[in-house]
Amino acid sequence: GAGVSQSPRYKVAKRGQDVALRCDPISGHVSLFWYQQALGQGPEFLTYFQNEAQLDKSGLPSDRFFAERPEGSVSTLKIQRTQQEDSAVYLCASSLGPILSGGVVDTQYFGPGTRLTVL
Amino acid sequence: QKEVEQNSGPLSVPEGAIASLNCTYSDRGSQSFFWYRQYSGKSPELIMSIYSNGDKEDGRFTAQLNKASQYVSLLIRDSQPSDSATYLCAVNGRNNFNKFYFGSGTKLNVKP
């Protein structure tokens, strides 16, 4: 079946512009995650949704970052007034179930990412 | 101290050899552990998940978990040039199970 898709794949923004990044998770997946990956680093957690509820946004680096998933499927990550330090690959991942008790969690499947370059 | 530590490498092994990748984590309460492979310019793809102490084998890959030592490893047998990639270790947090911490990855080069 179809995997996680993200659009656009590449985005160039001038400093100060607002951008919106879209994620289409695997159909039926309850959990959705956003990550930021800088060059040469591992992904850094940004936020987590269970259906339409944003249960954890502790990784969002500033109040310029905002994410939503209004109908529990497609999600959008919005960055306002972009800065050069926002340049990175933004990865979306989804997993089938909610977070289970005892800390056991489902595998996350990643989309291809959006490479954001802020000039 | 970072939540997940990996040697950045590069780790170079000849084709057909065993590659051993290591990861340590700081949160003793973590319960879910994953190895992902990431080719340059691509997104991470799952190699293995492991939840219990001991070994878990899948084809040429074996994941090893030792919670007492807070250590996870990945062995790749009969390494192939196509295994050349960055390998990421991921661990979930104890108080925040949905929050995943990734290491910075180990770059593996398999030489023909």
Side-chain angles (χ1 to χ4, degrees):
Chain A
V4 179
S5 62
Q6 293 185 245
S7 61
R9 293 292 313 280
Y10 303 91
K11 177 69 178 177
V12 178
K14 292 183 179 179
R15 192 171 63 144
Q17 278 186 330
D18 297 350
V19 298
L21 312 180
R22 176 187 169 106
C23 172
D24 271 281
I26 294 172
S27 179
H29 277 198
V30 168
S31 297
L32 185 145
F33 305 78
W34 283 99
Y35 293 88
Q36 180 189 61
Q37 187 173 25
L39 191 64
Q41 300 297 314
E44 294 275 349
F45 172 88
L46 294 177
T47 187
Y48 162 67
F49 289 86
Q50 182 177 311
N51 294 307
E52 69 279 3
Q54 187 175 21
L55 299 186
D56 189 336
K57 55 181 180 179
S58 61
L60 296 177
S62 77
D63 58 8
R64 296 186 296 104
F65 286 71
F66 171 76
E68 59 182 4
R69 194 186 184 197
E71 297 179 357
S73 55
V74 171
S75 177
T76 304
L77 175 67
K78 298 179 179 178
I79 309 173
Q80 297 176 325
R81 305 181 303 281
T82 52
Q83 303 295 313
Q84 284 189 321
E85 62 262 29
D86 300 334
S87 296
V89 175
Y90 291 85
L91 295 165
C92 175
S94 70
S95 66
L96 180 59
I99 301 299
L100 304 175
S101 63
V104 176
V105 297
D106 280 333
T107 297
Q108 295 181 39
Y109 297 92
F110 283 84
T114 294
R115 182 176 297 276
L116 173 65
T117 303
V118 181
L119 303 176
Chain B
Q1 181 187 8
K2 294 187 67 174
E3 288 83 3
V4 179
E5 299 270 9
Q6 292 182 257
N7 188 320
S8 61
L11 173 65
S12 292
V13 301
E15 184 175 356
I18 295 175
S20 177
L21 305 163
N22 305 314
C23 168
T24 58
Y25 60 95
S26 62
D27 190 338
R28 188 171 289 278
S30 296
Q31 297 294 330
S32 301
F33 308 87
F34 302 86
W35 282 100
Y36 284 85
R37 175 174 64 196
Q38 188 171 30
Y39 292 110
S40 181
K42 301 295 185 182
S43 60
E45 56 178 329
L46 181 74
I47 299 293
M48 297 276 289
S49 61
I50 187 165
Y51 302 98
S52 304
N53 278 328
D55 295 359
K56 179 181 177 183
E57 187 174 320
D58 184 0
R60 296 187 296 112
F61 299 94
T62 299
Q64 299 174 317
L65 174 61
N66 184 326
K67 291 184 180 179
S69 300
Q70 295 173 242
Y71 177 89
V72 191
S73 66
L74 180 70
L75 299 177
I76 306 174
R77 289 180 299 281
D78 188 24
S79 296
Q80 302 296 310
S82 58
D83 294 327
S84 297
T86 296
Y87 288 80
L88 299 165
C89 173
V91 174
N92 75 329
R94 171 179 53 183
N95 295 322
N96 227 352
F97 296 142
N98 52 270
K99 192 164 185 174
F100 281 75
Y101 299 97
F102 281 79
S104 56
T106 298
K107 186 172 176 59
L108 173 66
N109 290 329
V110 181
K111 297 181 178 180

